[in-house]
């Protein structure tokens, strides 16, 4: 991109006119170039000064290559701050692109006049999460090609909520598509194959690129291109581009489309030789894998904004490298054929991409809503992306040979689909910095070792006159094919590029007379019945959405391993525990057969086996708890109880077995049970990662025990359960990608204790407004949890914050003898417990203080009056503990038949 100073727009001002739309569109131009055996190359270029922008476009048009033009917009326009763009132009301040919505339409039309036409289409590039104002501006000047996407121009580049970006891109697509009414074929390119630019494994790049193309199609576009960014290993990139092209042909059969490759978008080589080698490799890759267009970078990339001349040299270098690659018999193919479909290995990229696309398309027939739900559930998760709507659980690593691997797939439904072998470790800060500079180091070293290798390919360029050149075929729309093996560099008729002095007027183009009829859009031929199409495809009658057919190379299967919501506040990225939409739960068949579900439930099974064995050795008796009763625990924060008609009496489903545990001590001194509970949690909990409406607790109670006794028992029990699961189930932990080293500190025992008041002070120091008089709220728990590497206890909650059965401290009136066990890594509360009060008068007083009617608890109070022993105990959430141990993103993944607030499920 070239930088400039704005403010020269008046020099190009011209009288208003209405330009005719090009006779052929951007996509059709690229298709003709491909058929003629040429790779279309394109710069990144945008200057605020209209004269310099026009000169840049002219230079691009006149390069010795088949080129298309670029107008890259400035950051103010991208973010919609048009007032700032106007001020910058008025003050002559520098802008980093062309402010298309601030310059008058007449000025921009004059920039394009005598440059942009059917032989040289121009694309507007911008980076906006909400692009409607940009689409209006480009249509107003006669352009109809741009790029971006609701995901790719939201998550990496903005803080705009994904929901707003989807709505903005829906409006932008429909507005752009409306240009078809006037005879044009508007073109929209996905940016989904680029995302963070580097360190994103290919399957996710492919999936997002395809999903954005399907989104464009659903909202009226019939000409699209699908992007992919060059990464660090050419073999992996070639496989990825081949898969992208295959999926595009399969899922977009009625849409004009092509694949566009971006030259490497990460840390670029610092030496001119290294940068040239990388660009040449990108051009060769495009030819081998069948990409039709290449976005280039220059030798100045690592240092500054490139000049127009440097952009032109990059275009010509890439074109020469592509021509040389196409001329090689081993890789050259018949123009127009799908070069990448043969001779490419299969390492599981296609299986992963299909699984991701299929999982998203099954969430909703509306692809925009499906994308929102997919990110809320973590089905799509961009590594190292800090956007609030990104789960932030997925991580990637770079192998020594440059191949990208998943080190943690988070909740994405792709576990086990790629090539086998141990999963690489999650990168630390030093490893991440090293991976980011891998390409730069590699190519600079190659250039230093072989300086001559970086010179432009020495190819015999057949310069032909304009009437018979490849360019003539491309520009005129002819069907002439060049015989296989013919080497040509397409050259447009060259005209000298003379920079225009400021204020030089450009002859206006002829305006269309008022009332001139537009060319009607050609009706589309109906597709044959049975053609597989994505959601939103118009049919008669309308077709239901069709999932992406799974691929199973080398005997692998593609189970729909679809999982869960965003986990709160990991130690890597700290976010909140709330999502804007409920996490979708798959149907029971898919959920139960998913490998992650099976592994998680095996771990849960073993945790319970270990707990039973440990407690029995300690002299505990297991009881079967009741499911209904006249009363239940009133202390469940925010949740509602469920009433049932028990032969004319109103009973409750159990929210906790606490009262029955105390009563059971009349029979045994030490008891435990695995108790089912039902709590109608608030609807806002549906979008968290830690709440179920139906769950189980491992409930333990000991007669004559103190709080310290209960705390010690919890600590020993959890250490035993986790240690046993780790030693017995290594395969399951490996399948889940759960690093058992995360439990090194836990297995040492001796969990720390902090008082509630200390926890409040710590949270307030972190900027969290925690009340001194209430339980720790969900976000507070997550914040504390994310700061620690082993579980810890919070003790001494204030009186009034918990149920009437927690004993008040005789030494510290106003504080309770209770505790919570909080997991590490942002997983939050695992267990609650306390020393119980068994004093009748104290219990009745506490009931009245908390607004409870003692008459409801008559059976319980009668037992207390007769002499229920003092006790201490606790309850461990079985699903929450499973989630923590298995490293799941949501607690519902730890349930075979999950029930989430507001979500109707079996």
């Amino acid at each position: 991109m070239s930088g400039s100073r704005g403010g020269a727009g008046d020099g190009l001002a011209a009288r208003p006119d209405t330009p005719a739309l090009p006779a052929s569109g951007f996509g059709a131009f690229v298709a003709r170039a491909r058929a003629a055996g040429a790779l279309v190359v394109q710069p990144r270029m945008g200057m605020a000064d209209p004269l310099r922008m026009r000169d840049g476009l002219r230079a691009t048009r006149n390069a010795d290559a088949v080129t298309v033009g670029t107008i890259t917009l400035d950051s103010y326009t991208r973010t919609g701050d048009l007032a700032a763009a106007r001020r910058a132009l008025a003050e002559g301040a520098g802008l980093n692109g062309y402010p298309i919505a601030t310059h008058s339409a007449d000025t921009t039309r004059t920039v394009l006049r005598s440059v942009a036409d059917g032989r040289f289409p121009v694309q507007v590039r911008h980076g906006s999460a909400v692009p409607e104002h940009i689409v209006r501006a480009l249509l107003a000047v006669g352009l109809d090609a741009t790029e971006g996407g609701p995901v790719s121009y939201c998550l990496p580049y903005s803080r705009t909520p994904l929901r707003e970006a989807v709505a903005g891109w829906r409006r932008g697509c429909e507005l752009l598509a409306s240009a078809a009414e006037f005879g044009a074929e508007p073109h929209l390119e996905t940016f989904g194959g680029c995302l963070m630019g580097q360190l994103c494994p290919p399957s996710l790049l492919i999936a997002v690129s395809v999903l954005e193309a399907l989104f464009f199609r659903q909202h009226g576009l019939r000409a699209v291109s699908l992007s992919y960014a060059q990464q660090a290993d050419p073999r992996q990139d070639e496989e990825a581009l081949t898969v992208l092209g295959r999926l595009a042909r399969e899922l977009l059969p009625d849409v004009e489309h092509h694949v566009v490759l971006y030259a490497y978008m990460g840390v670029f080589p610092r030496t001119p030789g290294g940068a040239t080698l990388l660009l040449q490799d990108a051009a060769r890759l495009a030819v081998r894998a069948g990409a039709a267009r290449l976005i280039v970078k220059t030798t100045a990339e690592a240092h500054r904004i490139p000049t127009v001349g440097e952009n032109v040299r990059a275009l010509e270098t890439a074109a020469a490298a592509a021509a040389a690659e196409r001329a090689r018999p081993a890789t050259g193919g018949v123009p127009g054929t799908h070069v990448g479909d043969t001779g490419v290995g299969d390492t599981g990229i296609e299986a992963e991409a299909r699984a991701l696309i299929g999982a998203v398309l099954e969430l909703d027939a509306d692809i925009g809503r499906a994308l929102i739900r997919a990110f809320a559930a973590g089905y799509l998760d961009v590594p190292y992306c800090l956007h609030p709507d990104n789960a932030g659980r997925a991580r990637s690593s770079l192998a020594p040979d440059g191949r990208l691997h998943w080190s943690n797939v988070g909740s994405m439904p792709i576990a086990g689909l790629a090539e086998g072998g141990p999963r690489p470790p999650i990168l630390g800060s030093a490893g991440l910095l090293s991976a980011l500079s891998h390409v730069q180091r590699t190519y600079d070293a190659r250039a230093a070792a072989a300086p001559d290798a970086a010179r432009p390919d020495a190819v015999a360029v057949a310069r032909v006159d304009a009437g018979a050149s490849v360019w003539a075929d491309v520009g005129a729309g002819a069907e002439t094919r060049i015989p296989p093996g013919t080497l040509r560099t397409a050259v447009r008729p060259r005209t000298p590029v003379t920079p225009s002095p400021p204020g030089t007027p450009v002859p206006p183009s002829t305006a269309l007379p008022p009332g001139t009829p537009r060319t009607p859009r050609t009706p589309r031929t109906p597709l044959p019945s049975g053609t597989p199409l994505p959601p939103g495809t118009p049919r008669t009658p309308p077709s239901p959405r069709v999932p992406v057919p799974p691929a199973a190379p080398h005997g692998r299967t593609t189970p729909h391993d679809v999982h869960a919501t965003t986990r709160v506040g990991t130690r890597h990225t700290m976010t909140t525990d709330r999502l804007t939409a409920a996490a979708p739960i798959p149907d029971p068949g898919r959920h139960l057969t998913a490998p992650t579900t099976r592994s998680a439930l095996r771990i849960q099974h073993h945790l319970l086996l270990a707990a039973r064995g440990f407690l029995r050795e300690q002299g505990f008796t297991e009881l079967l708890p009741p499911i209904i009763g006249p009363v239940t625990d009133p202390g469940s924060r925010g949740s509602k109880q469920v009433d049932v008609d028990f032969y004319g009496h109103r009973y409750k489903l159990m929210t906790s077995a606490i009262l029955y545990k105390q009563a059971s001590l009349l029979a045994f001194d030490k008891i435990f049970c695995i108790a089912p509970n039902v709590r109608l949690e608030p609807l806002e909990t549906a979008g968290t990662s830690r709440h179920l409406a139906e769950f189980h607790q491992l409930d333990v109670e000991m007669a004559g025990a103190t709080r310290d006794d209960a705390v010690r028992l919890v600590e020993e029990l959890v250490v035993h359960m986790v240690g046993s699961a780790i030693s017995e189930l290594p395969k399951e932990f490996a399948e889940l990608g759960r690093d058992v080293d995360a439990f090194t500190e836990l297995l040492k025992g001796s969990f720390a204790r902090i008082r509630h008041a200390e926890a409040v002070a710590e949270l307030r120091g972190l900027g969290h407004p925690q009340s001194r008089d209430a339980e720790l709220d969900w976000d507070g728990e997550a914040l504390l949890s994310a700061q620690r590497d082993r579980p810890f206890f919070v003790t001494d909650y204030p009186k009034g914050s918990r149920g009437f059965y927690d004993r008040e401290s005789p030494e510290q009136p106003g504080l309770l003898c209770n505790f919570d066990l909080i997991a590490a890594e942002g997983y939050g509360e695992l267990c609650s417990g306390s020393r119980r009060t068994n004093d009748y008068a104290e219990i009745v007083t506490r009931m009245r203080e908390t607004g409870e009617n003692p008459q409801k608890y008559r059976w319980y109070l009668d037992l207390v009056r007769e002499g229920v022993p003092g006790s201490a105990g606790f309850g461990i959430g079985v699903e929450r503990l499973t989630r923590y141990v298995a490293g799941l993103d949501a607690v519902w993944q730890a349930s075979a038949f999950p029930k989430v607030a507001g979500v109707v499920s079996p």
Side-chain angles (χ1 to χ4, degrees):
M1 177 187 305
S2 295
S4 72
R5 299 180 66 83
D10 292 341
L12 287 180
R15 63 179 178 81
D17 67 343
T18 305
L21 289 165
S24 59
F26 187 95
F29 172 86
V30 176
R32 290 195 297 274
R34 180 188 176 100
L39 176 69
V40 176
V41 288
Q42 180 178 358
R44 291 176 170 89
M45 183 184 293
M47 291 81 80
D49 185 289
L51 294 171
R52 292 188 63 200
M53 187 71 254
R54 182 182 62 183
D55 290 342
L57 290 173
R58 281 179 172 173
T60 301
R61 176 182 175 121
N62 289 333
D64 282 342
V66 177
T67 58
V68 291
T70 300
I71 296 178
T72 300
L73 306 188
D74 65 290
S75 295
Y76 288 137
T77 302
R78 174 175 65 85
T79 58
D81 191 354
L82 302 185
R86 284 193 295 271
R87 286 195 301 272
L89 287 180
E91 297 168 1
L95 291 174
N96 63 344
Y98 184 82
I100 194 170
T102 303
H103 282 313
S104 71
D106 299 322
T107 296
T108 304
R109 290 188 191 110
T110 309
V111 169
L112 298 171
R113 191 173 297 125
S114 75
V115 180
D117 55 26
R119 295 159 62 90
F120 183 68
V122 173
Q123 182 191 50
V124 173
R125 307 186 67 85
H126 53 88
S128 177
V130 184
E132 189 174 4
H133 64 292
I134 293 171
V135 175
R136 290 188 185 280
L138 68 90
L139 289 176
V141 300
L143 296 175
D144 57 13
T146 187
E147 46 80 56
V151 172
S152 56
Y153 271 179
C154 174
L155 267 65
Y157 300 112
S158 80
R159 304 293 284 178
T160 303
L162 181 59
R163 189 177 298 274
E164 293 180 18
V166 166
W169 273 93
R170 179 183 295 115
R171 295 189 299 269
C173 286
E174 292 169 355
L175 182 61
L176 184 63
S178 69
E181 299 174 10
F182 305 104
E185 188 66 274
H187 185 94
L188 190 52
E189 171 192 319
T190 74
F191 197 71
C194 302
L195 290 176
M196 299 292 286
Q198 57 182 325
L199 297 187
C200 188
S203 58
L204 183 61
L205 297 178
I206 293 166
V208 176
S209 195
V210 169
L211 288 165
E212 286 190 332
L214 293 172
F215 177 90
F216 298 163
R217 184 195 177 285
Q218 192 169 68
H219 294 289
L221 276 303
R222 291 298 180 270
V224 303
S225 45
L226 296 91
S227 66
Y228 179 83
Q230 179 188 18
Q231 300 298 315
D233 180 72
R235 295 162 301 176
Q236 189 175 48
D237 285 340
E238 188 171 350
E239 179 184 350
L241 284 163
T242 299
V243 170
L244 178 59
R246 185 179 300 135
L247 289 174
R249 295 191 296 276
E250 180 178 326
L251 296 175
L252 299 165
D254 63 338
V255 174
E256 177 185 81
H257 66 268
H258 67 267
V259 171
V260 53
L261 174 66
Y262 283 65
Y264 187 66
M265 297 178 64
V267 180
F268 221 67
R270 300 185 61 81
T271 64
T276 299
L277 282 174
L278 182 54
L279 176 60
Q280 289 172 331
D281 278 358
R284 296 178 187 118
L285 171 64
V287 171
R288 288 197 308 273
R293 182 161 51 99
L294 174 67
I295 310 293
V296 306
K297 285 204 170 185
T298 74
T299 56
E301 188 67 32
H303 307 284
R304 55 176 169 74
I305 296 173
T307 65
V308 171
E310 287 165 335
N311 267 304
V312 170
R313 284 194 291 276
L315 295 170
E316 294 177 343
T317 297
E325 182 68 22
R326 194 176 294 276
R328 292 190 178 100
T331 56
V334 176
T337 61
H338 304 299
V339 177
D341 275 357
T342 59
V344 176
D346 180 1
T347 63
I349 293 174
E350 181 168 359
E352 288 185 350
R354 285 179 181 272
L356 290 169
I357 296 167
V360 175
L361 294 184
E362 290 181 355
L363 292 176
D364 200 293
D366 182 282
I367 297 174
R369 288 198 299 265
L371 287 169
I372 294 168
R373 294 179 180 178
F375 276 97
Y379 297 178
L380 297 177
D381 187 351
V382 182
Y384 311 107
C385 175
L386 301 181
H387 191 284
D389 288 331
N390 189 60
R393 284 272 289 148
R395 290 291 182 270
S396 62
S397 295
L398 195 70
D401 63 356
R403 292 184 70 87
L404 282 163
H405 299 273
W406 292 108
S407 50
N408 189 339
V409 298
S411 297
M412 293 188 292
I414 57 176
L417 295 185
E419 282 185 336
R423 204 173 265 174
I426 294 175
L427 295 176
S429 57
L432 179 59
L433 289 172
S434 176
L436 290 171
S437 61
H438 171 87
V439 168
Q440 175 253 312
R441 297 193 315 272
T442 300
Y443 277 86
D444 281 342
R446 279 180 54 188
D452 289 342
R455 65 186 180 87
D457 288 271
V459 295
V461 178
R463 293 180 178 271
V464 292
D465 64 61
S469 66
V470 172
W471 169 236
D473 294 337
V474 174
E479 296 299 324
T480 305
R481 297 292 183 103
I482 297 176
T486 301
L487 175 61
R488 291 187 179 181
T489 297
V491 184
R492 295 184 180 85
R494 293 187 59 89
T495 56
V497 181
T498 305
S500 307
T504 302
V506 179
S509 60
T510 304
L512 290 178
T516 301
R518 300 282 190 183
T519 304
R521 192 178 188 190
T522 305
R524 301 205 170 274
T525 305
L527 293 173
S529 176
T531 302
L533 293 175
T537 301
R539 287 189 186 271
T540 307
S543 170
R545 62 177 180 267
V546 180
V548 180
H554 304 311
R556 289 193 297 272
T557 59
T558 56
H560 293 284
D561 186 11
V562 180
H563 302 284
T565 58
T566 306
R567 174 157 67 82
V568 193
T570 67
R571 300 178 67 202
H572 303 289
T573 56
M574 192 65 215
T575 63
T576 66
D577 195 353
R578 304 176 190 275
L579 298 175
T580 56
I585 298 177
D587 64 81
R590 293 185 62 222
H591 176 56
L592 290 169
T593 58
T596 297
T597 302
R598 294 196 299 270
S599 294
L601 294 182
R602 287 191 197 103
I603 289 175
Q604 184 179 96
H605 168 71
H606 193 85
L607 290 171
L608 293 175
L609 279 179
R612 283 187 165 106
F614 179 87
L615 291 171
R616 285 170 182 161
E617 287 181 1
Q618 299 292 321
F620 285 81
T621 300
E622 182 175 6
L623 299 181
L624 298 177
I627 299 173
I628 61 173
V631 291
T632 186
D633 177 11
S636 303
R637 53 179 174 181
S639 64
K640 295 181 180 179
Q641 300 172 358
V642 179
D643 292 340
V644 295
D645 183 351
F646 187 70
Y647 301 102
H649 296 270
R650 190 167 69 177
Y651 269 36
K652 306 285 187 182
L653 289 179
M654 288 296 109
T655 61
S656 166
I658 174 63
L659 305 181
Y660 293 90
K661 288 197 299 178
Q662 287 183 271
S664 298
L665 296 177
L666 293 170
F668 302 98
D669 288 340
K670 296 181 176 181
I671 65 99
F672 76 96
C673 59
I674 297 170
N677 299 283
V678 176
R679 297 178 186 174
L680 298 186
E681 298 283 359
L683 282 175
E684 59 264 28
T685 66
T688 74
S689 57
R690 50 180 298 182
H691 288 87
L692 288 172
E694 179 185 70
F695 62 97
H696 295 78
Q697 282 196 162
L698 172 57
D699 277 308
V700 178
E701 202 74 15
M702 302 176 287
T706 66
R707 179 183 65 184
D708 286 346
D709 295 330
V711 165
R712 280 193 295 271
L713 181 64
V714 161
E715 188 175 85
E716 293 171 1
L717 177 59
V718 169
V719 169
H720 175 78
M721 293 168 72
V722 174
S724 178
I726 290 172
S727 64
E728 296 294 329
L729 301 173
K731 178 182 176 183
E732 283 71 14
F733 282 94
E735 287 176 349
L736 291 167
R738 182 58 158 148
D739 183 1
V740 296
D741 288 342
F743 302 112
T744 300
E745 294 300 316
L746 178 152
L747 296 175
K748 295 176 182 177
S750 301
F751 301 161
R753 302 188 196 187
I754 63 172
R755 294 158 59 92
H756 178 270
E758 295 170 328
V760 170
E762 182 177 342
L763 288 170
R764 290 188 169 195
L766 293 170
H768 180 72
Q770 173 63 48
S771 169
R772 292 186 176 91
D773 302 318
E775 288 187 294
L776 301 181
D777 57 39
W778 302 326
D779 292 341
E781 284 181 5
L783 280 166
L784 292 175
S785 176
Q787 308 300 313
R788 289 162 170 82
D789 57 6
R790 73 166 78 184
F792 62 98
F793 292 103
V794 178
T795 64
D796 302 311
Y797 282 76
K799 182 181 175 181
S801 65
R802 290 287 177 89
F804 57 76
Y805 38 77
D806 284 5
R807 183 177 180 179
E808 186 175 1
S809 171
E811 294 83 17
Q812 303 178 81
L815 299 182
L816 300 174
C817 297
N818 60 3
F819 63 90
D820 280 349
L821 178 64
I822 311 295
E825 302 179 83
Y827 284 94
E829 179 196 329
L830 296 177
C831 167
S832 287
S834 73
R835 185 173 183 180
R836 322 299 188 189
T837 181
N838 64 331
D839 181 270
Y840 177 84
E842 182 181 351
I843 291 175
V844 171
T845 300
R846 293 276 301 281
M847 282 182 175
R848 288 173 174 156
E849 287 175 351
T850 58
E852 288 294 323
N853 180 4
Q855 278 299 107
K856 293 195 311 182
Y857 299 89
R858 183 183 304 170
W859 74 269
Y860 170 74
L861 289 173
D862 287 346
L863 291 177
V864 171
R865 185 188 292 119
E866 293 172 6
V868 170
S871 65
F874 54 84
I876 297 175
V878 173
E879 289 86 358
R880 284 187 178 180
L881 179 63
T882 305
R883 176 197 173 211
Y884 167 52
V885 174
L888 305 175
D889 288 280
V891 70
W892 70 257
Q893 294 174 268
S895 174
F897 299 96
K899 306 293 189 302
V900 174
V903 179
V904 178
S905 56

